Structures are given as C-alpha cells and as structure tokens.
Amino acid sequence: MSSEHRAKKLINAPEDIISEAIAGMVGAHPDMLRLEGNTGRAVVALDGPRDGKVGVVVGGGSGHEPAFAGYVGRGLADAAAVGNVFASPSPEQILDATRAVDGGAGVVYLYGNYTGDVMNFDMAAEEAATLGIECRSVAVADDIASAPKGREGERRGIAGDFFVFKIAGAAAEAGRDLAGVEAAAQHALASTRSMGVALTPCSMPQTGKPNFEIGDDEMEIGMGLHGEPGMRRGDMASADEVVDELMAPILDEMAFRPGDEVAVLVNGLGATGLLELYILHRRVAAILAEKGVKIHYSWVGEYATSLEMAGASITLMKLDTDLRKLLDMPCRTPALTVGTLQDAPRQARSTVSARPVAETAREESRSRELATDGPITPALFRTMMVAAGERISTEADRLSALDGVIGDGDHGVTMDIGWKAVRDALAQSPEDETIETSCKRMAKAFLDAVGASSGPLYATAFLRAGTAVKDRLNLDAASMAAWIEAACEGVRERGRAAPGDKTMVDAWVPAVEEARGAVTGGADVLGCLDAACEGAERGMNATRDIESKRGRSSKLGARSVGHIDPGAASTVVILTAMRDTAREALA
C-alpha cells in the first residue's frame, strides 16, 4: 500500500471522533451503559457498581473496539476509561471511572502493558489514594512476540485482555475482596498466551495514512495491536501455515499435557472476516486435538481490533477449576454475553461529583520577591509556548510518520492534541500570571488532554520546570537553562529513561549540557537557547544509530536502528520554536 494513499473513513471532524463514538455507543445501549464524570470519557455499567463490591475499571486507547468500553456491563467491567486513538486515557479520565465504581471495597485497574497506560494508571492510583480509594493494577502482558520467556513482565498486552477482564469481572461479581480479584486477574494472565499476524496496516483517523508499510505479498508475524513490528516479516503463507507458526511458541510455553483444558480466542484485527477466522480456528482445534487438549469454549470474531488492520491473533487460556468457574459465570455487556444473569434490582447511583486531580492553576502569592532581571517576561514566555504548540501542529504529520516506522504512528497526533490544549489554556492566563503558574496551567492542560505516555512526561516536565524558576518573574540566561534542565529531569523522573535508550531524553540531555555550557561561557538568553537547540538536534540525530531500549519500539531490537526517535524529534521542534520566537521578540 502506498504511503500516499489516504484511507476512507466514515467520520466527521477528526477531533470529535471519540466523543461522538462514545455518545453513539451509550445511546445504542441505554440499558447497559451510562456516561459519568466531567471528562466525558468514563463509560460506566448501569447496574455494575454497588456498595461493598470491588470495582473493576478497564481502559486504554480507542481504535481497539469493542475493547475497552465494549466489556462494560454487569458481571464484567464496571467502567472503562476511554483514551484517544491508540493512546492511554489520562489520570483524570481514569479517576472519573474510579469514582463512579467505588463501592468502598477498592478498585482493580486492568489495562495493556504499555508505557503510557502504566504511567497514567499509576498517577490515577496515587490520586485515588488521597481520596481514600485503594487501587490495585494488573497490566496485561500476554503477547509472546514482544519479549522472550523469562521476561514476561516486559510483554505487551494484546487480545489476552479479553480473558483477564472476564475472569476479574466474574471474581468481583462473586464477591471476592480486593486481593482476591487482583489474584484472579493475575492467575488468568499467567495462564494466557497470545500471538498475532498482520497482513495490512491501519490508518489513524487524523491522518488517513497507513501507520506502517507492508508489501502486498508479505505478512508480519507477532505484530502488536498498534502496528508495532513483530518478530519477523516474511512472504504471505497459507492459513494453516500461519496458524502453525503462531501456535508453536504458545504450545512451547504452555506445556500442555493430554487431558488439559483451554479456552480459545481467534480474534480479528479489524478487516479480517469470519470466513477466514473460522478457517484459522479449524486448524487451532486440530492442533489441540492432536495434543489431547480439550477446548472448553471458543470465541471467534472481533474482540480486540486495530482500526481497519487486516490480520488475526490467537489466544489460549489454560483452565483449572477456578478459572473455568469464573469464565462460565454470567455477564452481559455490549461485546460479550455469557449465560443468563439472574434478575437483580439495579442500583442507580447519582453521578459522582468529579473533583479535579489538580486545582486549576492559580496565581501564587506575591508575598515573596521575584527576580525581574532577564528579557524573557511571563508574556513572552507564554508566546514562546504558544509558538511551540503551533510548530508541533505544523510538524504533526512528519512526527507521526517517524513514529509509524518504529512505533504506532500517533506521536505527532498526540503531541498536537496536547499542545493545542496548552495553547487554549494559556489563552485563559491573566496578564500578571507568573511563569511558574503558567507552567502549572500547561501541565494540567496537557495531561488532561492526552494521557498516552506524552501526557505524564510533559506534565511532569512542565511542573518541574515551573518550580525551578518559581523565584523569577523574568528569565535570564541562567534561569532559562535551569528551566530546560528541570524539564529534562521531569521527563527522566517520570519515564525512567536514560541517555542511550532512544527516547526524547537523548535530545533533552544534550540540550541541557549545551545550554549550561553556553551560560558558563557568558552567553545571553538567546545564546543559551541557540546552544540548547544545537544540543537537542545533535542528540536527535544520534538516535538514528541507537537500538531502542524503552517504550514500544524497544520490542524491535536491532530493527529500530537507522531511524530517528520521534520523541527526540518533537523535542527539537519545541526548543527551536521557543528559540525562534524569543529571537524575533528580542531582536
């Protein structure tokens, strides 16, 4: 498929796709679902949450429908936090779901094992604790292709979510306590393995362009749900040959014995019909029969998709008495119904008043003396930030294209959403707002708008940078360097990345080094920014020769070499826009 091809999609404005899809879903299932919270992203079961019951919150990016909100309903998930396409929900969106399901017995979070999801759910859990809600997390990591045996905790989550969600929801419905529901989910995860194959790419609604390239006669074994490359790319093969290759590592790890029992999921990725999926299931069943393994129940269809990607995944869950009992327990959701629920009175819960994670940025006390030397005034600083957001918008397609090579193709889209929120937030700033307070405003706006991994990373960067200059009204060269350094440390603190991991840190660290060196050498604020840009660009270019060690691209190994990290590229865009705007204003 040519990269120039633009996919046809039945959407309206790209920025409205999530809100409109949620409205359509809730409107289609008014007997099962409702929407709660100020963010508009918490889809809640009409008769799921209740006092004394452990709440189950699932979540992740859109584009995987019916996951995740499709599994909300009695007997399964009590709520889903819905993120942007291929991006984690934000902490505030997760908290809306958390507050809606809190029955006083704690809440279990279930999500795929991706950096953005882990960071955002962790931040939500930290905030929930301050509200008196205890949360436990289980990050689903079932994809054999994404990490070798012995490093199961590094694996990403794909269609195995289906079984883990079902087991946890049943355990909660059965009245198990918080530790019991968490243990059931962990047991389901330990008993579940998946492998997938992709035949074509998908395309982001915002760009309409394929998020990776694959030949018409090729397939990618081990492809991730976001289009992340898998274990190998090869010539297209027959259905039986594909199933044999997908099943081999699953059988190797699960070490079945005659008489064992499994549940089977043959899952379509969005553009592979039931005709083909049933052919795949036929071969799965034959292989298991040869091993003397009994299929307790099979699901065949679309349960965890990747927009319109063609391909499929195979998931097996090895059953024991407890898992079989929980799997067979009734549930009723838009995407999955098992058995028949006994009638029970619905417990209508009033919409929870959503207290924001952080108070809206407000002006700090003027009781302390703020340094006024330096040419970067608060007004100019805000102009620099707005310019950075505008430059990101201009470069969004290029950044997404870079990400499509080694990631999931949404980096530019995600950054554009976050920076647009920053620009809108700064438009509400009073004229006398300090740089520190503007940074707080930016942090909240970015985090609430984005989620994903960029949300926590840039929110933490803005907060740390603002704190670093809290004693300043205006910025001089030294304080501008301090702002850049603190932003870098915020990214490193939240992302736990180091230079050489092939992340945005590889651009931020040399930016700091060059800025500090320039200030030591007597440079003014423009010289400081020039040096930061030079360092960031040098670091960005160096990522081309680095093998990725963090994030989704870390699964590529040597295949990530030869490509620039998109996060490092966006760092260069931001710093360059800041520098150019300051130069124009101060010339």
Side-chain angles (χ1 to χ4, degrees):
M1 181 180 291
S2 168
S3 60
E4 297 302 315
H5 174 78
R6 190 171 184 87
K8 299 175 182 177
K9 293 182 183 289
L10 291 172
I11 62 173
N12 297 309
E15 62 270 22
D16 296 332
I17 55 176
I18 308 304
S19 59
E20 291 181 352
I22 290 174
M25 185 178 193
V26 173
H29 305 284
D31 57 330
M32 285 187 267
L33 306 177
R34 67 183 187 274
L35 197 60
E36 287 202 14
N38 290 346
T39 65
R41 295 294 188 89
V43 177
V44 183
L46 203 64
D47 58 354
R50 53 190 178 272
D51 291 341
K53 173 185 171 298
V54 172
V56 175
V57 172
V58 302
S62 297
H64 303 305
E65 288 71 22
F68 294 85
Y71 299 117
V72 173
R74 188 168 155 214
L76 218 157
D78 296 305
V82 181
N84 293 328
V85 175
F86 289 1
S88 166
S90 72
E92 188 60 29
Q93 292 162 354
I94 298 165
L95 279 168
D96 273 352
T98 304
R99 287 185 282 255
V101 309
D102 174 34
V107 174
V108 172
Y109 290 155
L110 304 171
Y111 50 87
N113 188 32
Y114 297 92
T115 303
D117 293 275
V118 173
M119 286 194 287
N120 281 283
F121 275 93
D122 281 354
M123 292 179 76
E126 292 166 7
E127 181 63 21
T130 70
L131 305 177
I133 305 173
E134 184 179 359
C135 297
R136 307 279 181 89
S137 291
V138 177
V140 180
D142 59 303
D143 180 21
I144 290 177
S146 54
K149 191 173 183 179
R151 290 163 51 191
E152 287 85 355
E154 299 176 25
R155 290 175 173 171
R156 60 197 173 205
I158 50 174
D161 288 349
F162 175 86
F163 286 130
V164 177
F165 293 178
K166 175 64 180 75
I167 296 301
E173 186 72 17
R176 298 188 188 183
D177 63 12
L178 184 61
V181 175
E182 179 189 23
Q186 292 284 13
H187 182 36
L189 174 58
S191 304
T192 300
R193 296 291 186 274
S194 300
M195 276 284 289
V197 60
L199 309 181
T200 71
C202 56
S203 57
M204 300 292 288
Q206 295 89 339
T207 67
K209 298 177 181 178
N211 63 340
F212 65 94
E213 295 288 337
I214 188 169
D216 291 339
D217 57 351
E218 292 181 319
M219 64 180 182
E220 183 93 21
I221 296 292
M223 173 68 72
L225 272 183
H226 305 94
E228 308 96 329
M231 298 171 69
R232 74 170 186 89
R233 179 168 294 192
D235 293 338
M236 189 65 199
S238 69
D240 284 1
E241 289 171 329
V242 169
V243 171
D244 289 350
E245 185 164 1
L246 297 182
M247 285 286 286
I250 296 175
L251 295 173
D252 179 62
E253 288 208 7
M254 301 190 86
F256 290 117
R257 294 177 297 181
D260 282 343
E261 197 169 13
V262 297
V264 175
L265 173 66
V266 177
N267 172 62
L269 295 181
T272 299
L274 279 170
L275 180 70
E276 295 165 67
L277 297 179
Y278 281 129
I279 292 172
L280 300 181
H281 182 271
R282 161 193 157 277
R283 180 59 181 166
V284 171
I287 292 171
L288 291 173
E290 291 170 4
K291 300 285 185 183
V293 177
K294 177 185 175 183
I295 296 178
H296 176 68
Y297 198 88
S298 293
W299 284 271
V300 180
E302 292 185 339
Y303 293 93
T305 64
S306 185
L307 294 170
E308 78 278 24
M309 185 185 292
S313 61
I314 296 169
T315 302
L316 301 184
M317 181 169 69
K318 188 175 183 179
L319 299 178
D320 58 16
T321 301
D322 191 49
L323 288 177
R324 185 187 307 105
K325 179 178 74 173
L326 293 172
L327 188 68
D328 290 344
M329 280 185 63
C331 69
R332 180 171 177 262
T333 76
L336 180 66
T337 296
V338 173
T340 303
L341 288 162
Q342 297 299 313
D343 290 337
R346 289 177 176 166
Q347 302 185 24
R349 292 161 63 98
S350 59
T351 299
V352 179
S353 175
R355 183 175 69 83
V357 178
E359 296 290 332
T360 300
R362 60 182 61 175
E363 190 58 38
E364 299 297 318
S365 170
R366 298 297 184 143
S367 60
R368 64 176 184 266
E369 290 293 328
L370 299 180
T372 58
D373 56 311
I376 306 295
T377 64
L380 177 53
F381 175 82
R382 291 192 291 272
T383 301
M384 292 163 64
M385 294 299 105
V386 170
E390 292 171 344
R391 191 77 62 87
I392 284 288
S393 182
T394 300
E395 297 282 350
D397 286 351
R398 180 178 69 87
L399 294 171
S400 288
L402 288 174
D403 192 35
V405 178
I406 61 174
D408 55 11
D410 72 338
H411 182 70
V413 171
T414 299
M415 291 291 286
D416 190 24
I417 292 170
W419 277 97
K420 184 180 184 301
V422 166
R423 286 149 55 195
D424 291 344
L426 290 178
Q428 307 301 315
S429 297
E431 289 186 9
D432 62 346
E433 183 172 271
T434 65
I435 291 174
E436 179 193 9
T437 304
S438 290
C439 287
K440 290 181 178 180
R441 186 184 297 275
M442 292 161 57
K444 176 169 171 48
F446 205 110
L447 188 60
D448 287 351
V450 170
S453 58
S454 299
L457 291 172
Y458 271 96
T460 307
F462 293 148
L463 288 174
R464 298 294 178 269
T467 299
V469 297
K470 67 181 180 180
D471 60 339
R472 308 283 311 185
L473 183 64
N474 301 343
L475 302 184
D476 59 6
S479 52
M480 187 74 253
W483 189 94
I484 295 170
E485 183 172 16
C488 173
E489 289 307 309
V491 170
R492 295 185 67 175
E493 170 193 331
R494 181 60 63 182
R496 299 177 183 177
D501 284 346
K502 199 183 183 90
T503 70
M504 67 175 72
V505 167
D506 288 297
W508 277 106
V509 167
V512 170
E513 293 171 349
E514 294 296 333
R516 280 293 185 196
V519 171
T520 300
D524 61 11
V525 72
L526 292 178
C528 169
L529 287 167
D530 278 336
C533 292
E534 291 169 5
E537 187 163 3
R538 172 169 51 82
M540 175 194 72
N541 289 329
T543 64
R544 193 188 307 272
D545 302 319
I546 298 174
E547 183 175 319
S548 180
K549 299 181 181 66
R550 300 286 296 181
R552 289 173 182 167
S553 61
S554 64
K555 312 305 180 187
L556 296 177
R559 292 175 68 183
S560 64
V561 176
H563 305 288
I564 287 173
D565 178 71
S570 61
T571 301
V572 172
V573 171
I574 293 163
L575 291 173
T576 302
M578 291 171 60
R579 186 270 312 278
D580 292 348
T581 305
R583 184 173 299 283
E584 182 178 349
L586 301 176

